[in-house]
Amino acid sequence: MSAATAAGTWKLGDLEVNRIGYDAMRLTGNGMMGNSDGTPIDRDAAVGLLHSAFEQGVNHIDTAAFYFSPLRSANELINRALSSWHGDVVVVTKVGPARDPSGEWITTARPDQLRSQVEENLRQLGRNYLDVVNLRASGPRTASIAEHFGALAELREAGLIRHLGLSAVLPEHVAEAQTIAPVVCVQNSYGLDWRRADESGLVDLCGEQGIAFVPFFAVSGLRREAAADQEQEQDARVQSVARAHDATPAQVRLAWTLHRGPHVLAIPGTANPVHLAQNIAAGSLRLTEEELAVLGEPVGPATSPRTHG
């Protein structure tokens, strides 16, 4: 049994995936808000890292056409890795946000512009259709997503997309989308220190409807794509549980999200092979009821950050 299978599986529509996946954002060396900018890893090293993830049982990857830096494109690296890999890997991408060639954020795509974003992902990934496309809303305050989601539903009917999902949404957005086409996953910021999706009932709603809930920034929380800071790593609650399992704080945070329900997936990203193995191994970490109680209530700011993840 590979390491990533320890946490079990879930289905994205008819696509069964191991609950531990991988977020490709860090491969580009460019953070969404500039707080993780740095030199990207070598292309061959990036492909090797992805192959290592696949060998350890990771069979779904999160990406986007807007995950790029001046030197790297996440989709290009995934394309290269998959072209020399013989196993099945589900690729989940997202559309809505847009960046110009210089990397500057521009206005979120209109419904009639989503086809070009889908086609851009198809070209970069070298695919005839996309496994899963998440509509990334402008933010939880978005009044309606019907027109945008309807445009993607038409592309699904046309065979360019296999399954549809949502990102950065509230329960009412899920209900609205479900009247248009099936939603197989919802991707929101969520973790031990940031539980807005619990407060809104979104995590439970997804479980009740058989929809995968996919947290991003589950390890770094409000630091987004940056690494967890010293204060997070020294959180006494997390440290006590980590010591009991001879685990890292990041592994405890990932295990906590996976304990939230069998429909909850994890997509930690890293460019470090050691951290990759640790993240995947978190799927086998079993927390006791007492330890879950120790982790207790969330800590940190009570206002929602603007995200592009």
Side-chain angles (χ1 to χ4, degrees):
M1 181 176 71
S2 60
T5 63
T9 63
W10 191 261
K11 282 192 172 183
L12 304 176
D14 61 346
L15 302 171
E16 187 168 5
V17 298
N18 294 325
R19 291 174 65 206
I20 294 279
Y22 179 79
D23 183 352
M25 183 193 296
R26 290 183 186 273
L27 291 180
T28 68
N30 178 253
M32 295 296 97
M33 300 294 283
N35 61 354
S36 67
D37 288 354
T39 304
I41 63 174
D42 176 81
R43 277 189 172 84
D44 290 339
V47 170
L49 187 80
L50 289 168
H51 283 173
S52 177
F54 303 155
E55 290 164 0
Q56 294 176 70
V58 168
N59 61 1
H60 70 102
I61 302 179
D62 178 77
T63 187
F66 53 82
Y67 286 178
F68 69 87
S69 68
L71 297 177
R72 298 288 183 271
S73 156
N75 280 355
E76 176 260 326
L77 293 170
I78 292 169
N79 185 347
R80 183 175 293 198
L82 291 177
S83 67
S84 53
W85 179 258
H86 301 296
D88 293 327
V89 177
V90 173
V91 178
V92 182
T93 190
K94 61 184 74 66
V95 296
R99 299 167 73 193
D100 66 23
S102 71
E104 290 298 316
W105 290 102
I106 56 180
T107 305
T108 299
R110 301 187 309 269
D112 63 320
Q113 294 174 321
L114 291 178
R115 183 181 183 110
S116 65
Q117 289 195 348
V118 166
E119 291 175 344
E120 181 180 15
N121 276 278
L122 288 168
R123 285 191 298 272
Q124 292 176 357
L125 291 166
R127 298 214 159 181
N128 295 320
Y129 64 86
L130 300 174
D131 295 327
V132 183
V133 174
N134 289 330
L135 171 64
R136 174 77 178 181
S138 300
R141 294 182 180 85
T142 303
S144 172
I145 60 169
E147 196 173 356
H148 284 79
F149 197 76
L152 290 182
E154 292 177 2
L155 297 179
R156 175 176 171 266
E157 289 297 319
L160 298 183
I161 302 170
R162 191 163 177 176
H163 298 295
L164 297 175
L166 297 169
S167 180
V169 293
L170 293 172
E172 50 263 39
H173 297 128
V174 178
E176 184 179 38
Q178 289 275 63
T179 67
I180 299 170
V183 175
V184 302
C185 58
V186 172
Q187 187 185 86
N188 271 43
S189 179
Y190 179 76
L192 182 61
D193 299 335
W194 187 256
R195 307 187 194 179
R196 281 293 176 88
D198 281 335
E199 297 167 11
S200 69
L202 183 60
V203 180
D204 289 334
L205 172 70
C206 287
E208 292 163 3
Q209 297 193 16
I211 299 170
F213 182 77
V214 189
F216 56 83
F217 304 145
V219 174
S220 59
L222 297 182
R223 285 179 58 78
R224 299 165 54 78
E225 69 274 5
D229 62 14
Q230 188 175 15
E231 182 179 347
Q232 274 188 310
E233 292 177 350
Q234 291 181 350
D235 184 322
R237 307 166 306 162
V238 177
Q239 285 285 3
S240 66
V241 176
R243 283 194 297 270
H245 292 272
D246 192 24
T248 68
Q251 286 177 314
V252 171
R253 291 176 181 276
L254 289 170
W256 181 86
T257 63
L258 292 170
H259 276 70
R260 186 59 183 79
H263 67 296
V264 178
L265 310 185
I267 50 169
T270 182
N272 184 313
V274 174
H275 292 166
L276 173 69
Q278 291 174 341
N279 291 340
I280 296 171
S284 63
L285 185 58
R286 301 291 180 260
L287 305 180
T288 66
E289 291 298 325
E290 292 76 13
E291 289 168 339
L292 291 170
V294 164
L295 295 174
E297 294 301 316
V299 297
T303 57
S304 177
R306 176 178 173 83
T307 62
H308 283 291

